[in-house]
Amino acid sequence: FPKLSCLLLVLGVAAGAAHAQQAKLTPAEREAKAREYFTDTKLKTQADRTVRFYSDALKGKVVLMNFVFTQCGDACPLITAKLVQAKNELGDVFGQEVRFVSISIDPQHDRPQDLAKFAKKFDAVHPEWLFLTGERANIEAVTKKLGAWTDDVESHSTAIIIGSPRQGKWKKVRPDAPAKAIAMELRQLVAGEIEARKLAQAGAAGR
């Protein structure tokens, strides 16, 4: 995933100089860079609600992103079932601190109601689990940023991307990773998120 590698570098996961530079940024500066990179492209949720990709789908949460299409007969159902298990492993942390974002790579066929049916079929219904579609140009713009756009939906990316805009940390998790391992990675990011909030509050109180 060359574009995904670029994403990880841009957002400061890479080691060395890039990581050192990222560490100097404030949480607000990291979020500004993330918003600039991901963009606020308008998409539609499974509830047919218009959202801005960064501000409404990513900001303020530890996020897990993956890619689906509703006519998929193999990888998408398997990965979705795995993510349902990971959601269950997280308990109350899911929704409070963690959000899942599943992005359709077949927007021509996946209308909001199709995604809603898909979510219901696989027991993936939750206010903090967004299934996103939209105009082809908008989906293409977002998924290209994530290194996942393809003209052949059958060979779409099975990458799972997790991260925290506040911390500027992003990484990919293997789709065959156990649900417990995915939940553990997310919990580690949540711990960092809570610590970052405490530091920001302490800094504000000290001014």
Side-chain angles (χ1 to χ4, degrees):
F1 307 107
K3 291 183 179 178
L4 178 57
S5 298
C6 178
L7 161 70
L8 300 180
L9 178 60
V10 168
L11 295 180
V13 177
H19 181 77
Q21 183 179 11
Q22 182 74 9
K24 296 177 183 177
L25 299 177
T26 66
E29 289 170 334
R30 281 194 289 269
E31 284 209 0
K33 280 187 173 292
R35 180 184 291 104
E36 179 182 3
Y37 184 86
F38 287 115
T39 76
D40 261 341
T41 302
K42 290 183 177 180
L43 300 174
K44 288 276 191 177
T45 71
Q46 69 269 41
D48 202 19
R49 179 169 61 91
T50 299
V51 294
R52 297 167 297 171
F53 184 56
Y54 178 80
S55 294
D56 298 325
L58 306 186
K59 182 180 178 181
K61 298 280 188 179
V62 168
V63 181
L64 179 149
M65 292 184 280
N66 76 306
F67 309 96
V68 301
F69 69 104
T70 59
Q71 298 179 36
C72 177
D74 42 37
C76 299
L78 291 173
I79 293 173
T80 302
K82 174 81 65 67
L83 296 184
V84 169
Q85 294 174 20
K87 175 179 76 70
N88 294 339
E89 288 284 341
L90 288 167
D92 291 342
V93 172
F94 186 85
Q96 293 181 6
E97 299 284 351
V98 177
R99 175 183 293 140
F100 286 0
V101 180
S102 296
I103 305 169
S104 170
I105 43 76
D106 189 16
Q108 290 175 292
H109 296 103
D110 287 347
R111 300 163 299 173
Q113 57 265 41
D114 299 314
L115 291 174
K117 290 178 182 177
F118 182 88
K120 185 176 180 179
K121 180 179 179 180
F122 295 103
D123 197 26
V125 177
H126 190 284
E128 291 296 333
W129 191 335
L130 304 181
F131 285 80
L132 300 180
T133 187
E135 296 180 9
R136 177 187 166 93
N138 290 358
I139 287 289
E140 183 174 350
V142 166
T143 53
K144 278 185 174 179
K145 286 288 188 179
L146 300 171
W149 175 254
T150 176
D151 289 313
D152 177 14
V153 296
E154 294 292 343
S155 62
H156 76 91
S157 171
T158 57
I160 296 173
I161 303 169
I162 66 172
S164 164
R166 180 188 294 272
Q167 299 172 72
K169 292 181 178 179
W170 298 89
K171 68 186 297 184
K172 57 184 176 180
V173 178
R174 293 175 58 92
D176 59 352
K180 286 182 180 292
I182 295 173
M184 182 180 69
E185 292 280 359
L186 290 165
R187 285 186 180 279
Q188 289 176 353
L189 281 172
V190 167
E193 185 84 0
I194 292 171
E195 183 63 25
R197 285 203 298 263
K198 288 179 179 178
L199 290 174
Q201 290 168 359
R207 287 198 293 270

